[in-house]
mmCIF file of all heavy atoms in Angstrom:
data_model
loop_
_atom_site.group_PDB
_atom_site.id
_atom_site.type_symbol
_atom_site.label_atom_id
_atom_site.label_comp_id
_atom_site.label_asym_id
_atom_site.label_seq_id
_atom_site.Cartn_x
_atom_site.Cartn_y
_atom_site.Cartn_z
ATOM 1 N N MET B 185 86.881 132.362 94.377
ATOM 2 C CA MET B 185 86.482 133.619 95.041
ATOM 3 C C MET B 185 87.418 134.808 94.682
ATOM 4 O O MET B 185 86.918 135.853 94.294
ATOM 5 C CB MET B 185 86.513 133.430 96.579
ATOM 6 C CG MET B 185 85.148 132.854 97.122
ATOM 7 S SD MET B 185 83.682 133.623 96.435
ATOM 8 C CE MET B 185 83.637 135.133 97.370
ATOM 9 N N PRO B 186 88.764 134.593 94.716
ATOM 10 C CA PRO B 186 89.619 135.709 94.341
ATOM 11 C C PRO B 186 89.376 136.143 92.854
ATOM 12 O O PRO B 186 89.409 137.321 92.524
ATOM 13 C CB PRO B 186 91.069 135.098 94.462
ATOM 14 C CG PRO B 186 90.892 134.040 95.470
ATOM 15 C CD PRO B 186 89.537 133.450 95.313
ATOM 16 N N MET B 187 89.093 135.149 92.036
ATOM 17 C CA MET B 187 88.836 135.433 90.615
ATOM 18 C C MET B 187 87.604 136.311 90.544
ATOM 19 O O MET B 187 87.627 137.321 89.848
ATOM 20 C CB MET B 187 88.618 134.090 89.846
ATOM 21 C CG MET B 187 88.640 134.340 88.278
ATOM 22 S SD MET B 187 87.758 132.987 87.448
ATOM 23 C CE MET B 187 88.628 131.529 87.877
ATOM 24 N N PHE B 188 86.591 135.930 91.291
ATOM 25 C CA PHE B 188 85.363 136.687 91.313
ATOM 26 C C PHE B 188 85.545 138.104 91.766
ATOM 27 O O PHE B 188 85.038 139.073 91.240
ATOM 28 C CB PHE B 188 84.318 135.935 92.181
ATOM 29 C CG PHE B 188 82.948 136.567 92.262
ATOM 30 C CD1 PHE B 188 82.303 137.009 91.038
ATOM 31 C CD2 PHE B 188 82.283 136.559 93.402
ATOM 32 C CE1 PHE B 188 81.020 137.531 91.136
ATOM 33 C CE2 PHE B 188 80.984 137.133 93.498
ATOM 34 C CZ PHE B 188 80.407 137.615 92.354
ATOM 35 N N LEU B 189 86.379 138.279 92.797
ATOM 36 C CA LEU B 189 86.558 139.575 93.467
ATOM 37 C C LEU B 189 87.493 140.518 92.775
ATOM 38 O O LEU B 189 87.351 141.694 92.804
ATOM 39 C CB LEU B 189 86.973 139.342 94.923
ATOM 40 C CG LEU B 189 85.986 138.670 95.818
ATOM 41 C CD1 LEU B 189 86.536 138.397 97.182
ATOM 42 C CD2 LEU B 189 84.684 139.521 95.967
ATOM 43 N N PHE B 190 88.563 139.919 92.114
ATOM 44 C CA PHE B 190 89.629 140.769 91.606
ATOM 45 C C PHE B 190 89.746 140.773 90.075
ATOM 46 O O PHE B 190 90.809 140.958 89.571
ATOM 47 C CB PHE B 190 90.936 140.378 92.218
ATOM 48 C CG PHE B 190 91.004 140.482 93.712
ATOM 49 C CD1 PHE B 190 90.839 139.420 94.529
ATOM 50 C CD2 PHE B 190 91.127 141.796 94.252
ATOM 51 C CE1 PHE B 190 90.899 139.589 95.913
ATOM 52 C CE2 PHE B 190 91.158 141.962 95.652
ATOM 53 C CZ PHE B 190 91.055 140.844 96.466
ATOM 54 N N SER B 191 88.649 140.551 89.362
ATOM 55 C CA SER B 191 88.703 140.472 87.892
ATOM 56 C C SER B 191 87.983 141.666 87.280
ATOM 57 O O SER B 191 87.510 141.539 86.169
ATOM 58 C CB SER B 191 88.139 139.170 87.389
ATOM 59 O OG SER B 191 88.875 138.079 87.817
ATOM 60 N N GLY B 192 87.919 142.751 87.998
ATOM 61 C CA GLY B 192 87.200 143.878 87.435
ATOM 62 C C GLY B 192 85.693 143.672 87.320
ATOM 63 O O GLY B 192 85.054 144.186 86.440
ATOM 64 N N THR B 193 85.265 142.814 88.233
ATOM 65 C CA THR B 193 83.824 142.407 88.200
ATOM 66 C C THR B 193 82.971 143.580 88.648
ATOM 67 O O THR B 193 81.978 143.937 87.976
ATOM 68 C CB THR B 193 83.593 141.242 89.123
ATOM 69 O OG1 THR B 193 84.673 140.345 88.999
ATOM 70 C CG2 THR B 193 82.282 140.578 88.820
ATOM 71 N N PHE B 194 83.347 144.203 89.771
ATOM 72 C CA PHE B 194 82.486 145.219 90.404
ATOM 73 C C PHE B 194 82.967 146.604 90.157
ATOM 74 O O PHE B 194 82.283 147.607 90.428
ATOM 75 C CB PHE B 194 82.363 144.969 91.952
ATOM 76 C CG PHE B 194 81.834 143.592 92.277
ATOM 77 C CD1 PHE B 194 82.627 142.580 92.682
ATOM 78 C CD2 PHE B 194 80.435 143.334 92.063
ATOM 79 C CE1 PHE B 194 82.140 141.353 92.990
ATOM 80 C CE2 PHE B 194 79.930 142.050 92.360
ATOM 81 C CZ PHE B 194 80.798 141.066 92.802
ATOM 82 N N TYR B 195 84.165 146.731 89.635
ATOM 83 C CA TYR B 195 84.793 148.022 89.360
ATOM 84 C C TYR B 195 85.834 147.775 88.289
ATOM 85 O O TYR B 195 86.358 146.685 88.140
ATOM 86 C CB TYR B 195 85.421 148.652 90.644
ATOM 87 C CG TYR B 195 86.093 147.624 91.447
ATOM 88 C CD1 TYR B 195 87.381 147.201 91.081
ATOM 89 C CD2 TYR B 195 85.537 146.981 92.579
ATOM 90 C CE1 TYR B 195 88.062 146.196 91.826
ATOM 91 C CE2 TYR B 195 86.144 146.017 93.293
ATOM 92 C CZ TYR B 195 87.401 145.620 92.936
ATOM 93 O OH TYR B 195 88.036 144.659 93.608
ATOM 94 N N PRO B 196 86.229 148.830 87.574
ATOM 95 C CA PRO B 196 87.235 148.603 86.492
ATOM 96 C C PRO B 196 88.524 148.097 87.143
ATOM 97 O O PRO B 196 88.915 148.524 88.238
ATOM 98 C CB PRO B 196 87.433 149.975 85.929
ATOM 99 C CG PRO B 196 86.228 150.715 86.308
ATOM 100 C CD PRO B 196 85.761 150.192 87.595
ATOM 101 N N LEU B 197 89.207 147.187 86.466
ATOM 102 C CA LEU B 197 90.424 146.606 87.016
ATOM 103 C C LEU B 197 91.486 147.709 87.316
ATOM 104 O O LEU B 197 92.236 147.569 88.262
ATOM 105 C CB LEU B 197 91.031 145.591 86.037
ATOM 106 C CG LEU B 197 92.180 144.708 86.485
ATOM 107 C CD1 LEU B 197 91.720 143.776 87.662
ATOM 108 C CD2 LEU B 197 92.758 143.880 85.370
ATOM 109 N N ALA B 198 91.453 148.785 86.530
ATOM 110 C CA ALA B 198 92.461 149.842 86.645
ATOM 111 C C ALA B 198 92.389 150.539 88.033
ATOM 112 O O ALA B 198 93.285 151.170 88.427
ATOM 113 C CB ALA B 198 92.284 150.820 85.509
ATOM 114 N N VAL B 199 91.239 150.380 88.694
ATOM 115 C CA VAL B 199 91.072 151.006 90.012
ATOM 116 C C VAL B 199 91.993 150.328 91.051
ATOM 117 O O VAL B 199 92.468 150.967 91.977
ATOM 118 C CB VAL B 199 89.591 150.914 90.486
ATOM 119 C CG1 VAL B 199 89.351 151.297 91.919
ATOM 120 C CG2 VAL B 199 88.681 151.749 89.518
ATOM 121 N N LEU B 200 92.258 149.057 90.868
ATOM 122 C CA LEU B 200 93.052 148.316 91.802
ATOM 123 C C LEU B 200 94.548 148.742 91.702
ATOM 124 O O LEU B 200 95.011 149.216 90.672
ATOM 125 C CB LEU B 200 93.029 146.774 91.461
ATOM 126 C CG LEU B 200 91.867 145.997 91.900
ATOM 127 C CD1 LEU B 200 92.005 144.569 91.431
ATOM 128 C CD2 LEU B 200 91.638 145.988 93.399
ATOM 129 N N PRO B 201 95.289 148.636 92.831
ATOM 130 C CA PRO B 201 96.696 148.882 92.744
ATOM 131 C C PRO B 201 97.352 147.940 91.730
ATOM 132 O O PRO B 201 96.878 146.820 91.619
ATOM 133 C CB PRO B 201 97.200 148.684 94.207
ATOM 134 C CG PRO B 201 96.137 147.917 94.844
ATOM 135 C CD PRO B 201 94.824 148.263 94.188
ATOM 136 N N LEU B 202 98.433 148.335 91.199
ATOM 137 C CA LEU B 202 99.034 147.587 90.136
ATOM 138 C C LEU B 202 99.462 146.161 90.569
ATOM 139 O O LEU B 202 99.321 145.211 89.826
ATOM 140 C CB LEU B 202 100.320 148.313 89.598
ATOM 141 C CG LEU B 202 100.717 147.959 88.190
ATOM 142 C CD1 LEU B 202 99.594 148.270 87.146
ATOM 143 C CD2 LEU B 202 101.987 148.701 87.806
#
Side-chain angles (χ1 to χ4, degrees):
Chain B
M185 276 315 282
M187 193 203 301
F188 182 43
L189 295 174
F190 297 103
S191 294
T193 320
F194 301 104
Y195 40 80
L197 190 65
V199 171
L200 280 179
L202 203 61

